[in-house]
Amino acid sequence: MKIVIVNGPNLNLLGEREPEIYGHDSLQDVERFIAQNDEARGLELHFFQSNHEGAIIDYLHAHRKSAAGVVINPGGLTHYSVALRDAISGCQVPTVEVHLSDVHAREEFRKVSMVTDVCLAQISGKGKHGYIEALKMLKAHVDAPVSS
Ligand code: DQA
């Protein structure tokens, strides 16, 4: 079962970027944590990060026929990208939205997500554990699909 794990703009700076909000782990640390977690056993994980909206959309398109699920932290694109939302809904691959921080406890604009209603769920405020929860959700969904 192939799952793609996509991180959007500025998440390449994890560990140095506002560590009081996003923690001290680098993106590489987070990806290693995910890959080594029990929930990842038996999964074929593909990691991707880009600061470019179009590159993320191209990546989702390229994997739409082969991936069983997508975990995406769209970073700032979350709050305004109609194009990313359209890519997620157009690709028709079960997708879970993840945020390291609790976007509902921060600035007003972060409460708005363009992608939540085309995803199975939004997981917010659980740090790197949110990605593991997303993997669990995708596995459960593949076993017993629910409409999104
Ligand atoms: C984020 C939250 C977004 O509002 C922000 O723009 C990010 C990271 C998170 O993981 O908490 O870049 O998606």
Side-chain angles (χ1 to χ4, degrees), residues 9 11 17 22 73 75-76 79 99-101 103 106 110:
L11 290 159
R17 169 193 184 206
Y22 298 115
N73 180 345
H79 312 299
H99 300 285
L100 294 156
S101 67
V103 287
R106 299 180 62 193
R110 291 188 205 275

Side-chain angles (χ1 to χ4, degrees), residues 7-11 14 17 21-22 73-79 98-103 106-107 109-110 124-125 131:
N7 282 286
N10 300 302
L11 290 159
L14 280 181
R17 169 193 184 206
I21 297 175
Y22 298 115
N73 180 345
L77 295 173
T78 307
H79 312 299
V98 170
H99 300 285
L100 294 156
S101 67
D102 180 358
V103 287
R106 299 180 62 193
E107 300 95 326
F109 70 85
R110 291 188 205 275
S124 170
Y131 294 91

